[in-house]
Amino acid sequence: GSHDTMTYCLDKRSAVSGNESKVVKFLNKCMPCIVHPIIMKWSTTQVLTVTEQLEAGVRYLDFRIAHKANDPSMNLYFVHMVYTTVTVQDTLLEVLRWLETHPQEVVILACRNFDGLTKRLHNHLVACIKEIFQCKLCPRNVMPTLRTMWQLGHQVIVSYEEDVELEKHCELWPAIPYWWGNKTSTRALIRYLERMKRRGRPGKFFVAGINLTENLGYILLHPFGSLKKMTLRSLPCLKIWIKQQYPGPKKECINIIAGDFIGNNDFVKDVIELNTKI
């Protein structure tokens, strides 16, 4: 999986998301030449496009969806502090084109965040998803083994973090739990993930996030840093942790593993190779 999948196309000219704190919005308004480049450095979690991520082997896409404040159109974008240059509809069509040339591949689209989405916009988003993927959508009453999905022609599982919409559409799956450590150090993140494993794996899909998270204190201590530098330093230790994991139904088994900058350090290869342990 890729964490915050769409941040490779954040808009340098974008306003700060409506979900961000008043302090961040104020500082960005007062000192945009200083604050905006810092926001970009610490918001970008991926450099590969969605097609490149799929080609690399990513099968869980983390879509943080938003509607821009004061935008009269129905256009939806992705967001991580700032908005993306590409729309949700164009990205879904890009995923569809890739699936059409890879008929035995299955992807999970985790639709989350929904910053600024009204009931009308939720209806619009779900209608777009259903219109674009049609019979490729796997309904939640299907046990999604690969064999079953191949037989039925299903290639897409959409998890939707909005209960009202979920009840109305059998094509939408419940929100997939994401183990987010919210840690700035690799050791602390690994301790968090091990603690979550000891509690026992959820019965269905779930994600172990190996992504580090900056805070204001960390940014001030690393004025020339970036999320990419922070991530790349952590990868050797996280690589060891990944190789120690086991997939499967047992209590301490892992399901989906999602990270930042997934093209680095054989991350995808290491995760896929865990399947050989089954």
Side-chain angles (χ1 to χ4, degrees):
S2 60
H3 167 249
D4 259 312
T5 299
M6 298 304 296
T7 57
Y8 65 86
C9 59
L10 293 177
D11 187 352
K12 294 176 182 177
R13 297 169 296 176
S14 165
V16 174
S17 157
N19 263 0
E20 297 306 319
S21 68
K22 290 180 180 178
V23 174
V24 171
K25 290 179 187 173
F26 176 75
L27 290 173
N28 188 56
K29 192 173 182 179
C30 294
M31 301 180 290
C33 294
I34 297 171
V35 175
H36 214 71
I38 294 172
I39 287 174
M40 294 297 293
K41 283 198 305 179
W42 292 98
S43 298
T44 302
T45 67
Q46 307 294 341
V47 292
L48 300 182
T49 68
V50 72
T51 297
E52 289 169 340
Q53 290 179 41
L54 291 167
E55 287 289 336
V58 165
R59 295 295 178 267
Y60 165 92
L61 303 176
D62 177 18
F63 285 166
R64 315 290 178 96
I65 296 171
H67 183 255
K68 292 179 181 179
N70 304 315
D71 182 356
S73 77
M74 300 281 280
N75 289 337
L76 298 174
Y77 295 84
F78 303 95
V79 68
H80 190 213
M81 292 195 76
V82 293
Y83 302 100
T84 56
T85 55
V86 302
T87 65
V88 171
Q89 188 170 12
D90 285 345
T91 301
L92 296 179
L93 287 167
E94 187 176 347
V95 172
L96 173 67
R97 286 192 294 273
W98 188 86
L99 289 171
E100 286 174 339
T101 58
H102 299 79
Q104 285 198 305
E105 295 297 331
V106 173
V107 297
I108 298 173
L109 309 182
C111 298
R112 316 168 61 193
N113 195 85
F114 301 130
D115 177 15
L117 264 70
T118 59
K119 184 178 179 180
R120 181 166 170 252
L121 287 167
H122 273 293
N123 290 337
H124 171 65
L125 173 57
V126 174
C128 279
I129 291 169
K130 291 167 75 169
E131 182 183 349
I132 288 169
F133 294 114
Q134 298 185 24
C135 63
K136 289 188 185 297
L137 288 172
C138 178
R140 62 177 176 268
N141 61 349
V142 171
M143 177 61 75
T145 66
L146 285 175
R147 183 176 288 109
T148 300
M149 294 189 74
W150 290 339
Q151 287 172 348
L152 298 174
H154 299 323
Q155 289 184 269
V156 184
I157 291 172
V158 176
S159 89
Y160 206 87
E161 249 177 52
E162 219 290 328
D163 291 341
V164 175
E165 294 303 319
L166 198 63
E167 291 172 8
K168 293 191 292 186
H169 304 279
C170 67
E171 297 89 351
L172 303 179
W173 288 62
I176 295 175
Y178 193 107
W179 291 356
W180 177 51
N182 193 18
K183 306 295 183 186
T184 58
S185 86
T186 314
R187 286 184 179 180
L189 176 60
I190 289 173
R191 283 197 300 270
Y192 162 80
L193 292 171
E194 288 298 314
R195 189 165 66 249
M196 294 299 287
K197 280 170 58 183
R198 285 193 295 272
R199 292 181 185 177
R201 61 152 293 165
K204 299 182 181 179
F205 293 118
F206 72 100
V207 184
I210 62 161
N211 48 292
L212 293 173
T213 307
E214 81 290 346
N215 55 36
L216 183 58
Y218 188 93
I219 292 172
L220 292 174
L221 287 171
H222 301 82
F224 302 107
S226 67
L227 190 58
K228 186 169 186 179
K229 290 179 182 177
M230 185 186 192
T231 299
L232 295 185
R233 277 197 299 269
S234 73
L235 286 180
C237 286
L238 289 169
K239 184 181 179 77
I240 295 169
W241 182 84
I242 289 170
K243 284 178 172 289
Q244 293 169 343
Q245 304 314 303
Y246 286 83
K250 294 179 182 176
K251 179 182 175 183
E252 292 198 355
C253 286
I254 287 296
N255 184 215
I256 299 165
I257 302 177
D260 292 334
F261 303 102
I262 56 89
N264 288 282
N265 212 18
D266 292 330
F267 164 70
V268 176
K269 177 173 170 283
D270 291 341
V271 174
I272 292 172
E273 281 185 353
L274 295 178
N275 290 304
T276 62
K277 297 182 180 183
I278 296 176

